[in-house]
Amino acid sequence: MNTKYTNLLLLLCLLLLKNTIVLAQSANAPFPWPEGKSVAVSLSFDDARLSQVDTGTALLDRYGVKATFFVVPSSVEQRLEGWKKAVVAGHEIGNHSLVHPCSGNFLWAREKALEEYTLEKMQTELQEANQRIQTLLGVTPETFAYPCGQAFVGRGQQTKSYVPVVAKLFTAGRGWLDEAPNDPAYCDMAQLMGIEMDGKDFDEILTVIEAAKANGHWVVLGGHEIGAEGPQTTRLAMLEQLLQYANDPANSLWIAPVGEVAKYINQQRSGR
Ligand SMILES: [Zn+2]
């Protein structure tokens, strides 16, 4: 082989090596959260339960923290003034479907069972829910939470995922009872992991946040009622400790609604 080709080969090898190093670095580099923060956390609450605006938003507002409320329009109507105040305070209103369909394995969902749904019916209802929320509150949801965390319609060999419908209509879709935080460099916005915060004390939540901080991940917490105690209830005591922790700059935590974090990640990923 003459010198010219040897040099060319050497140059190619160096280029390949350089690209490999750059790729390895970008895979290992911590995700660039705003202001050099180490971890992102989103608080989200489902179903537009009455306690969310009767009790919860006052606490959130006292700490200046914005959450995401995934609402069902018919429940919003029961506390319309409270929800309007929540919007004015800057909380995000997400879509949680029109009638909260889940597997008919739940007796209460038998008349609105996902097993009997089609993708067309699901899309129509999600759009109708958006329109009703727009009429009630003047905002159009950009994010969605899967009722019961279930993302299918039909049954057996005819089962279909409605994740693509959610991906088409929303910036993000959140699951439920998931086990892990989201890796911002990789996660699918239409299937974000949602970790339960109902019934947990602050130490349990802190463990989740500290593990996520070690990897620069995004913790999306999900809850239902907000109160002192009870089933499916995010504890006020836990929430207050979490809000104090989030507001302490020493903890290097970015706390923001699901849609805001999702959009920020999308911008970073697209290189803007
Ligand atoms: Zn729900």
Side-chain angles (χ1 to χ4, degrees):
M1 202 184 288
N2 66 34
T3 318
K4 192 176 157 195
Y5 282 119
T6 313
N7 285 343
L8 196 62
L9 207 60
L10 195 65
L11 188 67
L12 274 171
C13 285
L14 280 170
L15 275 172
L16 273 172
L17 186 67
K18 183 168 170 272
N19 283 342
T20 310
I21 291 168
V22 167
L23 278 174
Q25 279 174 342
S26 60
N28 292 331
F31 191 78
W33 294 119
E35 299 167 18
K37 297 282 174 66
S38 306
V39 62
V41 174
S42 296
L43 304 178
S44 63
F45 299 91
D46 294 2
D47 305 341
R49 305 277 181 106
L50 306 185
S51 62
Q52 292 171 8
V53 285
D54 287 353
T55 308
T57 43
L59 178 62
L60 293 165
D61 295 345
R62 208 178 321 138
Y63 286 88
V65 169
K66 319 286 181 226
T68 301
F69 292 93
F70 292 107
V71 306
V72 174
S74 57
S75 299
V76 169
E77 287 168 356
Q78 296 179 46
R79 282 291 187 281
L80 191 54
E81 289 314 307
W83 286 109
K84 283 180 177 171
K85 278 187 202 155
V87 171
V88 170
H91 298 292
E92 177 184 25
I93 303 297
N95 184 320
H96 195 42
S97 82
L98 189 64
V99 295
H100 206 284
C102 287
S103 168
N105 188 59
F106 294 113
L107 193 55
W108 56 261
R110 197 66 57 88
E111 298 304 314
K112 47 184 177 180
L114 289 171
E115 286 83 351
E116 315 305 326
Y117 263 66
T118 62
L119 293 178
E120 292 72 26
K121 179 177 166 66
M122 182 58 76
Q123 177 165 331
T124 302
E125 290 193 1
L126 295 186
Q127 287 171 319
E128 190 180 334
N130 263 6
Q131 284 160 8
R132 283 189 52 190
I133 291 164
Q134 168 65 42
T135 304
L136 290 167
L137 299 175
V139 291
T140 300
E142 296 180 340
T143 57
F144 176 76
Y146 296 87
C148 303
Q150 294 170 324
F152 70 92
V153 297
R155 64 164 73 215
Q157 290 188 39
Q158 274 69 52
T159 307
K160 293 191 173 80
S161 166
Y162 77 91
V163 171
V165 176
V166 169
K168 190 165 68 175
L169 298 179
F170 300 100
T171 306
R174 197 217 69 204
W176 171 238
L177 295 182
D178 296 311
E179 296 184 35
N182 300 282
D183 182 341
Y186 187 86
C187 63
D188 178 2
M189 291 303 168
Q191 289 201 79
L192 293 173
M193 303 270 180
I195 298 176
E196 182 181 33
M197 63 176 153
D198 288 340
K200 297 207 170 126
D201 61 33
F202 179 63
D203 284 348
E204 289 171 277
I205 299 296
L206 186 59
T207 304
V208 172
I209 291 173
E210 281 179 343
K213 198 187 276 186
N215 298 309
H217 285 176
W218 174 25
V219 179
V220 180
L221 296 169
H224 292 85
E225 304 285 354
I226 302 175
E229 55 185 11
Q232 285 203 318
T233 302
T234 289
R235 307 277 192 256
L236 278 165
M238 180 286 286
L239 201 52
E240 183 145 26
Q241 280 178 282
L242 176 56
L243 295 171
Q244 284 168 358
Y245 178 89
N247 279 352
D248 183 348
N251 293 320
S252 195
L253 183 151
W254 181 38
I255 190 160
V258 174
E260 188 178 339
V261 178
K263 278 191 247 177
Y264 175 83
I265 291 172
N266 284 340
Q267 283 170 2
Q268 293 295 315
R269 284 189 189 172
S270 65
R272 278 191 286 146

